[in-house]
Short mmCIF file of all heavy atoms in Angstrom, two decimals:
data_model
loop_
_atom_site.label_atom_id
_atom_site.label_comp_id
_atom_site.label_asym_id
_atom_site.label_seq_id
_atom_site.Cartn_x
_atom_site.Cartn_y
_atom_site.Cartn_z
N ILE Y 1 6.19 6.41 5.01
CA ILE Y 1 5.06 7.14 5.66
C ILE Y 1 5.22 7.04 7.13
O ILE Y 1 5.46 5.95 7.68
CB ILE Y 1 3.72 6.58 5.24
CG1 ILE Y 1 3.55 6.68 3.70
CG2 ILE Y 1 2.54 7.17 5.92
CD1 ILE Y 1 2.26 6.10 3.15
N GLU Y 2 5.13 8.15 7.86
CA GLU Y 2 5.24 8.16 9.29
C GLU Y 2 3.89 8.16 9.94
O GLU Y 2 2.95 8.84 9.49
CB GLU Y 2 5.99 9.38 9.71
CG GLU Y 2 7.47 9.30 9.40
CD GLU Y 2 8.04 10.47 8.67
OE1 GLU Y 2 7.36 11.46 8.49
OE2 GLU Y 2 9.20 10.42 8.34
N ASP Y 3 3.74 7.41 10.95
CA ASP Y 3 2.50 7.37 11.71
C ASP Y 3 2.35 8.55 12.65
O ASP Y 3 1.25 9.14 12.72
CB ASP Y 3 2.35 6.05 12.50
CG ASP Y 3 2.34 4.80 11.67
OD1 ASP Y 3 1.68 4.94 10.52
OD2 ASP Y 3 2.79 3.72 12.09
N ARG Y 4 3.40 8.86 13.40
CA ARG Y 4 3.28 9.88 14.41
C ARG Y 4 4.34 10.91 14.29
O ARG Y 4 5.56 10.63 14.20
CB ARG Y 4 3.29 9.27 15.81
CG ARG Y 4 2.19 8.30 16.06
CD ARG Y 4 2.16 7.92 17.50
NE ARG Y 4 3.06 6.79 17.68
CZ ARG Y 4 3.23 6.16 18.85
NH1 ARG Y 4 2.60 6.62 19.91
NH2 ARG Y 4 4.05 5.13 18.94
N CYS Y 5 3.92 12.15 14.30
CA CYS Y 5 4.88 13.30 14.20
C CYS Y 5 4.38 14.42 15.13
O CYS Y 5 3.17 14.60 15.38
CB CYS Y 5 4.93 13.91 12.81
SG CYS Y 5 5.80 12.93 11.63
N VAL Y 6 5.34 15.13 15.68
CA VAL Y 6 4.95 16.39 16.40
C VAL Y 6 5.36 17.52 15.43
O VAL Y 6 6.28 17.45 14.64
CB VAL Y 6 5.72 16.51 17.73
CG1 VAL Y 6 5.15 15.57 18.74
CG2 VAL Y 6 7.19 16.36 17.57
N HIS Y 7 4.56 18.64 15.44
CA HIS Y 7 4.78 19.71 14.55
C HIS Y 7 4.77 20.99 15.32
O HIS Y 7 4.03 21.10 16.36
CB HIS Y 7 3.66 19.77 13.50
CG HIS Y 7 3.34 18.57 12.83
ND1 HIS Y 7 4.11 18.08 11.70
CD2 HIS Y 7 2.41 17.57 12.99
CE1 HIS Y 7 3.61 16.94 11.26
NE2 HIS Y 7 2.58 16.63 12.10
N ILE Y 8 5.48 22.00 14.77
CA ILE Y 8 5.42 23.33 15.37
C ILE Y 8 5.50 24.29 14.24
O ILE Y 8 6.18 24.08 13.20
CB ILE Y 8 6.49 23.56 16.37
CG1 ILE Y 8 6.24 24.83 17.22
CG2 ILE Y 8 7.87 23.61 15.76
CD1 ILE Y 8 7.09 24.96 18.44
N MET Y 9 4.77 25.38 14.27
CA MET Y 9 4.89 26.43 13.25
C MET Y 9 5.82 27.48 13.86
O MET Y 9 5.54 28.11 14.84
CB MET Y 9 3.55 27.07 12.89
CG MET Y 9 3.70 28.13 11.86
SD MET Y 9 2.18 28.87 11.32
CE MET Y 9 1.41 27.54 10.47
N HIS Y 10 6.95 27.61 13.23
CA HIS Y 10 8.02 28.58 13.58
C HIS Y 10 7.86 29.82 12.75
O HIS Y 10 7.87 29.79 11.52
CB HIS Y 10 9.39 27.92 13.32
CG HIS Y 10 10.47 28.84 13.62
ND1 HIS Y 10 10.96 29.07 14.94
CD2 HIS Y 10 11.28 29.56 12.77
CE1 HIS Y 10 11.94 29.95 14.90
NE2 HIS Y 10 12.15 30.26 13.58
N ILE Y 11 7.66 30.95 13.44
CA ILE Y 11 7.49 32.21 12.75
C ILE Y 11 8.57 33.13 13.28
O ILE Y 11 8.46 33.66 14.36
CB ILE Y 11 6.12 32.86 12.95
CG1 ILE Y 11 5.03 31.87 12.50
CG2 ILE Y 11 6.03 34.19 12.19
CD1 ILE Y 11 3.58 32.29 12.81
N SER Y 12 9.66 33.25 12.55
CA SER Y 12 10.76 34.11 12.92
C SER Y 12 11.97 33.75 11.96
O SER Y 12 11.82 32.94 11.10
CB SER Y 12 11.18 33.91 14.34
OG SER Y 12 12.18 34.81 14.65
N HIS Y 13 13.00 34.47 12.16
CA HIS Y 13 14.18 34.27 11.36
C HIS Y 13 14.66 32.76 11.61
O HIS Y 13 14.50 32.21 12.68
CB HIS Y 13 15.31 35.18 11.80
CG HIS Y 13 16.45 35.31 10.91
ND1 HIS Y 13 17.40 34.37 10.83
CD2 HIS Y 13 16.71 36.21 9.90
CE1 HIS Y 13 18.28 34.70 9.91
NE2 HIS Y 13 17.90 35.81 9.30
N ASN Y 14 15.23 32.17 10.59
CA ASN Y 14 15.68 30.81 10.68
C ASN Y 14 16.79 30.60 11.71
O ASN Y 14 16.94 29.51 12.22
CB ASN Y 14 16.15 30.32 9.31
CG ASN Y 14 15.06 30.18 8.27
OD1 ASN Y 14 13.89 30.14 8.66
ND2 ASN Y 14 15.40 30.14 7.07
N LEU Y 15 17.54 31.62 12.05
CA LEU Y 15 18.56 31.48 13.04
C LEU Y 15 17.94 31.17 14.51
O LEU Y 15 18.64 30.67 15.32
CB LEU Y 15 19.36 32.72 13.13
CG LEU Y 15 20.24 33.04 11.96
CD1 LEU Y 15 20.93 34.40 12.08
CD2 LEU Y 15 21.26 31.92 11.68
N ARG Y 16 16.60 31.42 14.64
CA ARG Y 16 15.94 31.17 15.88
C ARG Y 16 15.22 29.84 15.95
O ARG Y 16 14.60 29.46 16.92
CB ARG Y 16 14.97 32.30 16.24
CG ARG Y 16 15.76 33.64 16.41
CD ARG Y 16 14.91 34.73 16.87
NE ARG Y 16 14.22 34.42 18.16
CZ ARG Y 16 13.17 34.95 18.57
NH1 ARG Y 16 12.53 35.88 17.96
NH2 ARG Y 16 12.65 34.55 19.77
N GLU Y 17 15.43 29.00 14.91
CA GLU Y 17 14.80 27.70 14.81
C GLU Y 17 15.17 26.76 15.95
O GLU Y 17 14.40 25.93 16.36
CB GLU Y 17 15.07 26.99 13.42
CG GLU Y 17 14.21 27.47 12.38
CD GLU Y 17 14.40 26.76 11.09
OE1 GLU Y 17 15.33 25.90 10.98
OE2 GLU Y 17 13.59 26.95 10.10
N PRO Y 18 16.39 26.81 16.51
CA PRO Y 18 16.75 25.90 17.60
C PRO Y 18 15.79 25.96 18.74
O PRO Y 18 15.49 24.96 19.44
CB PRO Y 18 18.17 26.36 18.00
CG PRO Y 18 18.74 26.84 16.66
CD PRO Y 18 17.59 27.55 16.06
N GLU Y 19 15.18 27.12 19.00
CA GLU Y 19 14.25 27.27 20.10
C GLU Y 19 13.02 26.34 19.82
O GLU Y 19 12.52 25.67 20.75
CB GLU Y 19 13.72 28.74 20.25
CG GLU Y 19 14.81 29.73 20.61
CD GLU Y 19 14.35 31.13 20.49
OE1 GLU Y 19 13.15 31.45 20.49
OE2 GLU Y 19 15.24 32.03 20.38
N SER Y 20 12.53 26.36 18.59
CA SER Y 20 11.38 25.53 18.19
C SER Y 20 11.77 24.00 18.21
O SER Y 20 10.95 23.22 18.68
CB SER Y 20 10.87 25.93 16.83
OG SER Y 20 10.37 27.22 16.93
N PHE Y 21 12.96 23.71 17.78
CA PHE Y 21 13.40 22.34 17.80
C PHE Y 21 13.40 21.81 19.25
O PHE Y 21 12.99 20.76 19.56
CB PHE Y 21 14.83 22.15 17.24
CG PHE Y 21 14.98 22.32 15.75
CD1 PHE Y 21 15.88 23.24 15.25
CD2 PHE Y 21 14.24 21.56 14.94
CE1 PHE Y 21 16.01 23.37 13.90
CE2 PHE Y 21 14.32 21.76 13.52
CZ PHE Y 21 15.21 22.63 13.06
N ASN Y 22 13.91 22.64 20.18
CA ASN Y 22 13.97 22.24 21.55
C ASN Y 22 12.66 22.03 22.16
O ASN Y 22 12.42 21.13 23.01
CB ASN Y 22 14.78 23.25 22.38
CG ASN Y 22 16.29 23.28 22.06
OD1 ASN Y 22 16.77 22.19 21.61
ND2 ASN Y 22 16.96 24.36 22.28
N LYS Y 23 11.67 22.87 21.80
CA LYS Y 23 10.30 22.70 22.30
C LYS Y 23 9.73 21.37 21.85
O LYS Y 23 9.05 20.67 22.61
CB LYS Y 23 9.36 23.81 21.82
CG LYS Y 23 9.59 25.13 22.48
CD LYS Y 23 8.72 26.20 21.95
CE LYS Y 23 8.99 27.57 22.54
NZ LYS Y 23 8.09 28.62 21.98
N LEU Y 24 9.95 21.05 20.55
CA LEU Y 24 9.43 19.76 20.03
C LEU Y 24 10.10 18.58 20.71
O LEU Y 24 9.46 17.62 21.13
CB LEU Y 24 9.68 19.64 18.52
CG LEU Y 24 8.75 20.49 17.67
CD1 LEU Y 24 9.18 20.34 16.19
CD2 LEU Y 24 7.31 19.97 17.78
N LEU Y 25 11.44 18.60 20.89
CA LEU Y 25 12.18 17.44 21.44
C LEU Y 25 11.71 17.30 22.95
O LEU Y 25 11.55 16.19 23.39
CB LEU Y 25 13.66 17.71 21.39
CG LEU Y 25 14.15 17.66 19.97
CD1 LEU Y 25 15.71 18.03 19.94
CD2 LEU Y 25 13.95 16.33 19.36
N LYS Y 26 11.52 18.43 23.61
CA LYS Y 26 11.10 18.34 25.09
C LYS Y 26 9.68 17.69 25.08
O LYS Y 26 9.52 16.84 25.94
CB LYS Y 26 11.05 19.73 25.66
CG LYS Y 26 10.64 19.72 27.10
CD LYS Y 26 10.65 21.12 27.71
CE LYS Y 26 10.21 21.12 29.15
NZ LYS Y 26 10.20 22.42 29.66
N LEU Y 27 8.81 18.06 24.22
CA LEU Y 27 7.47 17.47 24.17
C LEU Y 27 7.49 15.98 23.99
O LEU Y 27 6.88 15.23 24.66
CB LEU Y 27 6.60 18.11 23.09
CG LEU Y 27 5.21 17.59 22.88
CD1 LEU Y 27 4.35 17.90 24.05
CD2 LEU Y 27 4.61 18.13 21.62
N VAL Y 28 8.41 15.52 23.04
CA VAL Y 28 8.52 14.15 22.78
C VAL Y 28 9.02 13.39 24.00
O VAL Y 28 8.48 12.40 24.48
CB VAL Y 28 9.45 13.88 21.54
CG1 VAL Y 28 9.79 12.41 21.44
CG2 VAL Y 28 8.73 14.40 20.30
N ILE Y 29 10.12 13.91 24.58
CA ILE Y 29 10.79 13.24 25.71
C ILE Y 29 9.86 13.20 26.94
O ILE Y 29 9.77 12.18 27.62
CB ILE Y 29 12.16 13.91 25.98
CG1 ILE Y 29 13.08 13.57 24.84
CG2 ILE Y 29 12.76 13.42 27.29
CD1 ILE Y 29 14.39 14.47 24.80
N VAL Y 30 9.23 14.35 27.28
CA VAL Y 30 8.39 14.44 28.51
C VAL Y 30 7.24 13.41 28.37
O VAL Y 30 6.79 12.95 29.41
CB VAL Y 30 7.80 15.88 28.58
CG1 VAL Y 30 6.60 15.94 29.49
CG2 VAL Y 30 8.90 16.81 29.08
N ASN Y 31 6.78 13.06 27.20
CA ASN Y 31 5.70 12.15 27.05
C ASN Y 31 6.17 10.70 26.84
O ASN Y 31 5.40 9.82 26.51
CB ASN Y 31 4.78 12.58 25.88
CG ASN Y 31 3.98 13.71 26.28
OD1 ASN Y 31 3.01 13.54 27.03
ND2 ASN Y 31 4.32 14.87 25.80
N GLY Y 32 7.53 10.43 27.06
CA GLY Y 32 8.02 9.08 27.04
C GLY Y 32 8.36 8.51 25.74
O GLY Y 32 8.46 7.30 25.59
N PHE Y 33 8.48 9.28 24.74
CA PHE Y 33 8.75 8.83 23.38
C PHE Y 33 10.17 9.17 22.96
O PHE Y 33 10.86 9.85 23.74
CB PHE Y 33 7.79 9.43 22.36
CG PHE Y 33 6.38 9.02 22.60
CD1 PHE Y 33 5.49 9.91 23.15
CD2 PHE Y 33 5.91 7.75 22.22
CE1 PHE Y 33 4.12 9.51 23.36
CE2 PHE Y 33 4.60 7.41 22.39
CZ PHE Y 33 3.72 8.27 22.99
N THR Y 34 10.62 8.71 21.82
CA THR Y 34 11.95 9.10 21.31
C THR Y 34 11.77 9.53 19.89
O THR Y 34 10.89 9.11 19.15
CB THR Y 34 12.93 7.87 21.33
OG1 THR Y 34 12.42 6.79 20.64
CG2 THR Y 34 13.25 7.40 22.73
N VAL Y 35 12.71 10.38 19.44
CA VAL Y 35 12.69 10.89 18.09
C VAL Y 35 13.11 9.69 17.20
O VAL Y 35 14.05 8.97 17.46
CB VAL Y 35 13.66 12.09 17.89
CG1 VAL Y 35 13.75 12.43 16.45
CG2 VAL Y 35 13.13 13.28 18.75
N ASN Y 36 12.34 9.49 16.07
CA ASN Y 36 12.54 8.39 15.21
C ASN Y 36 13.59 8.64 14.13
O ASN Y 36 14.38 7.74 13.78
CB ASN Y 36 11.22 7.99 14.61
CG ASN Y 36 11.15 6.67 14.03
OD1 ASN Y 36 11.98 5.81 14.33
ND2 ASN Y 36 10.09 6.30 13.30
N ARG Y 37 13.59 9.76 13.56
CA ARG Y 37 14.46 10.16 12.46
C ARG Y 37 14.83 11.60 12.52
O ARG Y 37 14.45 12.30 13.45
CB ARG Y 37 13.83 9.79 11.08
CG ARG Y 37 13.81 8.28 10.80
CD ARG Y 37 13.36 8.07 9.40
NE ARG Y 37 11.97 8.20 9.16
CZ ARG Y 37 11.05 7.29 9.47
NH1 ARG Y 37 11.36 6.20 10.08
NH2 ARG Y 37 9.72 7.52 9.21
N LEU Y 38 15.41 12.09 11.42
CA LEU Y 38 15.68 13.54 11.31
C LEU Y 38 14.40 14.28 11.13
O LEU Y 38 13.43 13.71 10.69
CB LEU Y 38 16.58 13.74 10.13
CG LEU Y 38 18.02 13.13 10.20
CD1 LEU Y 38 18.79 13.43 8.94
CD2 LEU Y 38 18.78 13.71 11.39
N HIS Y 39 14.44 15.57 11.41
CA HIS Y 39 13.21 16.36 11.27
C HIS Y 39 13.02 16.74 9.83
O HIS Y 39 13.82 16.58 8.98
CB HIS Y 39 13.43 17.65 12.08
CG HIS Y 39 14.41 18.59 11.55
ND1 HIS Y 39 15.79 18.51 11.66
CD2 HIS Y 39 14.24 19.73 10.77
CE1 HIS Y 39 16.37 19.42 11.02
NE2 HIS Y 39 15.48 20.25 10.45
N HIS Y 40 11.78 17.27 9.58
CA HIS Y 40 11.45 17.78 8.27
C HIS Y 40 11.08 19.21 8.41
O HIS Y 40 10.55 19.68 9.47
CB HIS Y 40 10.23 17.03 7.75
CG HIS Y 40 10.30 15.57 7.70
ND1 HIS Y 40 11.00 14.90 6.75
CD2 HIS Y 40 9.82 14.56 8.59
CE1 HIS Y 40 10.97 13.55 6.98
NE2 HIS Y 40 10.24 13.45 8.12
N GLU Y 41 11.27 20.06 7.36
CA GLU Y 41 10.87 21.42 7.40
C GLU Y 41 10.04 21.74 6.15
O GLU Y 41 10.49 21.34 5.04
CB GLU Y 41 12.08 22.32 7.47
CG GLU Y 41 12.92 22.19 8.70
CD GLU Y 41 14.16 23.13 8.67
OE1 GLU Y 41 14.14 24.06 7.94
OE2 GLU Y 41 15.04 22.86 9.43
N MET Y 42 8.93 22.48 6.33
CA MET Y 42 8.14 22.95 5.22
C MET Y 42 8.20 24.44 5.21
O MET Y 42 7.76 25.06 6.26
CB MET Y 42 6.74 22.46 5.28
CG MET Y 42 6.58 21.02 4.90
SD MET Y 42 4.87 20.56 4.82
CE MET Y 42 4.46 20.38 6.53
N TYR Y 43 8.79 25.05 4.24
CA TYR Y 43 8.89 26.52 4.16
C TYR Y 43 7.67 27.08 3.58
O TYR Y 43 7.28 26.73 2.42
CB TYR Y 43 10.13 26.93 3.34
CG TYR Y 43 11.38 26.31 3.98
CD1 TYR Y 43 11.97 25.25 3.40
CD2 TYR Y 43 11.92 26.88 5.14
CE1 TYR Y 43 13.16 24.74 3.90
CE2 TYR Y 43 13.06 26.33 5.66
CZ TYR Y 43 13.64 25.24 5.08
OH TYR Y 43 14.78 24.73 5.58
N LEU Y 44 6.93 27.91 4.31
CA LEU Y 44 5.67 28.48 3.82
C LEU Y 44 5.83 29.92 3.28
O LEU Y 44 4.80 30.42 2.77
CB LEU Y 44 4.61 28.47 4.98
CG LEU Y 44 4.37 27.15 5.65
CD1 LEU Y 44 3.38 27.21 6.78
CD2 LEU Y 44 3.89 26.16 4.55
N SER Y 45 6.98 30.49 3.42
CA SER Y 45 7.16 31.83 2.93
C SER Y 45 8.46 31.90 2.09
O SER Y 45 9.36 31.08 2.28
CB SER Y 45 7.18 32.86 4.05
OG SER Y 45 8.06 32.47 5.03
N ASN Y 46 8.51 32.85 1.24
CA ASN Y 46 9.64 33.03 0.44
C ASN Y 46 10.67 33.93 1.08
O ASN Y 46 10.39 35.12 1.33
CB ASN Y 46 9.18 33.69 -0.94
CG ASN Y 46 10.24 33.81 -1.95
OD1 ASN Y 46 11.44 33.78 -1.61
ND2 ASN Y 46 9.91 33.89 -3.21
N PRO Y 47 11.86 33.48 1.38
CA PRO Y 47 12.86 34.22 2.04
C PRO Y 47 13.34 35.41 1.34
O PRO Y 47 13.91 36.46 1.84
CB PRO Y 47 14.02 33.28 2.34
CG PRO Y 47 13.83 32.14 1.42
CD PRO Y 47 12.36 32.12 1.08
N ARG Y 48 13.17 35.46 -0.06
CA ARG Y 48 13.55 36.63 -0.84
C ARG Y 48 12.55 37.77 -0.80
O ARG Y 48 12.84 38.87 -1.10
CB ARG Y 48 13.77 36.20 -2.30
CG ARG Y 48 15.07 35.41 -2.47
CD ARG Y 48 15.23 34.86 -3.82
NE ARG Y 48 15.05 33.50 -3.69
CZ ARG Y 48 14.50 32.65 -4.60
NH1 ARG Y 48 14.16 33.13 -5.79
NH2 ARG Y 48 14.36 31.38 -4.42
N LYS Y 49 11.29 37.42 -0.41
CA LYS Y 49 10.25 38.41 -0.41
C LYS Y 49 9.68 38.71 1.02
O LYS Y 49 8.79 39.54 1.13
CB LYS Y 49 9.07 37.95 -1.27
CG LYS Y 49 9.50 37.75 -2.72
CD LYS Y 49 8.34 37.34 -3.60
CE LYS Y 49 8.74 37.14 -5.07
NZ LYS Y 49 7.59 36.70 -5.83
N THR Y 50 10.10 38.00 2.01
CA THR Y 50 9.50 38.08 3.33
C THR Y 50 10.46 38.67 4.30
O THR Y 50 11.61 38.38 4.34
CB THR Y 50 9.09 36.71 3.78
OG1 THR Y 50 8.23 36.12 2.81
CG2 THR Y 50 8.27 36.79 5.11
N ASP Y 51 9.92 39.56 5.18
CA ASP Y 51 10.78 40.10 6.30
C ASP Y 51 11.26 38.90 7.13
O ASP Y 51 10.50 38.04 7.46
CB ASP Y 51 9.87 41.01 7.16
CG ASP Y 51 10.57 41.46 8.36
OD1 ASP Y 51 11.80 41.55 8.44
OD2 ASP Y 51 9.83 41.86 9.39
N PRO Y 52 12.56 38.92 7.43
CA PRO Y 52 13.10 37.76 8.16
C PRO Y 52 12.38 37.36 9.49
O PRO Y 52 12.22 36.16 9.78
CB PRO Y 52 14.54 38.14 8.47
CG PRO Y 52 14.88 39.07 7.37
CD PRO Y 52 13.59 39.84 7.10
N GLU Y 53 11.83 38.32 10.13
CA GLU Y 53 11.10 38.01 11.39
C GLU Y 53 9.68 37.47 11.14
O GLU Y 53 9.01 37.06 12.10
CB GLU Y 53 10.99 39.21 12.27
CG GLU Y 53 12.37 39.64 12.92
CD GLU Y 53 12.98 38.50 13.71
OE1 GLU Y 53 12.27 37.87 14.53
OE2 GLU Y 53 14.22 38.31 13.59
N LYS Y 54 9.27 37.43 9.87
CA LYS Y 54 7.96 36.91 9.52
C LYS Y 54 8.08 35.59 8.73
O LYS Y 54 7.08 35.12 8.22
CB LYS Y 54 7.17 37.91 8.72
CG LYS Y 54 6.79 39.09 9.59
CD LYS Y 54 5.98 40.15 8.87
CE LYS Y 54 5.72 41.32 9.78
NZ LYS Y 54 4.87 42.35 9.07
N LEU Y 55 9.22 35.02 8.52
CA LEU Y 55 9.43 33.76 7.81
C LEU Y 55 8.64 32.72 8.62
O LEU Y 55 8.70 32.67 9.78
CB LEU Y 55 10.92 33.38 7.72
CG LEU Y 55 11.74 34.25 6.78
CD1 LEU Y 55 13.21 33.91 6.92
CD2 LEU Y 55 11.27 34.03 5.29
N THR Y 56 7.97 31.87 7.84
CA THR Y 56 7.15 30.83 8.47
C THR Y 56 7.58 29.55 8.01
O THR Y 56 7.68 29.25 6.80
CB THR Y 56 5.62 31.10 8.09
OG1 THR Y 56 5.27 32.45 8.49
CG2 THR Y 56 4.79 30.12 8.82
N THR Y 57 7.77 28.59 8.91
CA THR Y 57 8.27 27.24 8.65
C THR Y 57 7.54 26.31 9.51
O THR Y 57 7.37 26.57 10.71
CB THR Y 57 9.80 27.13 8.88
OG1 THR Y 57 10.47 28.11 8.21
CG2 THR Y 57 10.30 25.77 8.50
N ILE Y 58 7.10 25.12 9.00
CA ILE Y 58 6.54 24.06 9.84
C ILE Y 58 7.66 23.08 10.05
O ILE Y 58 8.20 22.59 9.05
CB ILE Y 58 5.31 23.46 9.23
CG1 ILE Y 58 4.18 24.44 9.10
CG2 ILE Y 58 4.85 22.18 10.04
CD1 ILE Y 58 2.96 23.92 8.41
N ILE Y 59 7.93 22.83 11.26
CA ILE Y 59 9.02 21.88 11.66
C ILE Y 59 8.35 20.61 12.16
O ILE Y 59 7.47 20.68 13.04
CB ILE Y 59 9.96 22.44 12.65
CG1 ILE Y 59 10.60 23.73 12.15
CG2 ILE Y 59 11.08 21.37 13.05
CD1 ILE Y 59 11.38 24.47 13.15
N SER Y 60 8.70 19.45 11.74
CA SER Y 60 8.08 18.15 12.14
C SER Y 60 9.17 17.20 12.53
O SER Y 60 10.19 17.06 11.91
CB SER Y 60 7.29 17.51 10.98
OG SER Y 60 6.31 18.41 10.52
N TYR Y 61 8.86 16.42 13.54
CA TYR Y 61 9.75 15.31 14.03
C TYR Y 61 8.95 14.11 14.14
O TYR Y 61 7.93 14.03 14.84
CB TYR Y 61 10.38 15.61 15.47
CG TYR Y 61 11.71 16.15 15.47
CD1 TYR Y 61 11.91 17.47 15.91
CD2 TYR Y 61 12.77 15.37 15.12
CE1 TYR Y 61 13.26 18.01 15.93
CE2 TYR Y 61 14.09 15.92 15.12
CZ TYR Y 61 14.23 17.14 15.55
OH TYR Y 61 15.57 17.67 15.55
N PRO Y 62 9.23 12.99 13.41
CA PRO Y 62 8.62 11.73 13.68
C PRO Y 62 9.13 11.19 14.98
O PRO Y 62 10.24 11.33 15.40
CB PRO Y 62 9.05 10.90 12.49
CG PRO Y 62 10.28 11.50 11.90
CD PRO Y 62 10.25 12.98 12.32
N PHE Y 63 8.23 10.47 15.63
CA PHE Y 63 8.64 9.88 16.94
C PHE Y 63 8.06 8.48 17.06
O PHE Y 63 7.17 8.05 16.37
CB PHE Y 63 8.21 10.74 18.07
CG PHE Y 63 6.75 10.86 18.37
CD1 PHE Y 63 6.09 9.99 19.17
CD2 PHE Y 63 5.98 11.84 17.67
CE1 PHE Y 63 4.71 10.09 19.42
CE2 PHE Y 63 4.68 11.96 17.90
CZ PHE Y 63 4.02 11.06 18.73
N LYS Y 64 8.72 7.69 18.04
CA LYS Y 64 8.21 6.34 18.31
C LYS Y 64 8.08 6.13 19.81
O LYS Y 64 8.71 6.89 20.60
CB LYS Y 64 9.04 5.29 17.71
CG LYS Y 64 10.53 5.37 18.10
CD LYS Y 64 11.34 4.33 17.37
CE LYS Y 64 12.81 4.43 17.81
NZ LYS Y 64 13.61 3.44 17.26
#
């Protein structure tokens, strides 16, 4: 169980996820923390049925 995580809702094609990762990492570093482990992704839309630009994913990074 993680105590602290930063989250972002990424709405776009998965190839554009690095932009969201960078925003999260910047937020963690600017506030004096470090990333604790690998990120987690929760897919909220079905890639077989959703327009790629409307794919929705929640990306989370635990931090310490």
Side-chain angles (χ1 to χ4, degrees):
I1 298 176
E2 285 131 4
D3 292 329
R4 298 189 273 180
C5 287
V6 290
H7 310 278
I8 193 167
M9 183 176 290
H10 175 80
I11 303 172
S12 185
H13 196 280
N14 292 342
L15 294 175
R16 295 187 59 200
E17 279 185 352
E19 297 169 23
S20 294
F21 290 126
N22 290 335
K23 287 179 184 179
L24 284 177
L25 293 175
K26 183 178 178 181
L27 178 67
V28 170
I29 292 167
V30 164
N31 286 286
F33 297 101
T34 57
V35 172
N36 200 12
R37 287 190 281 282
L38 297 176
H39 73 281
H40 307 281
E41 297 180 20
M42 283 188 282
Y43 302 103
L44 303 179
S45 51
N46 184 338
R48 286 175 253 149
K49 297 181 180 181
T50 307
D51 175 23
E53 289 304 315
K54 294 182 180 178
L55 288 171
T56 305
T57 306
I58 295 177
I59 302 169
S60 304
Y61 263 111
F63 66 93
K64 57 181 177 176

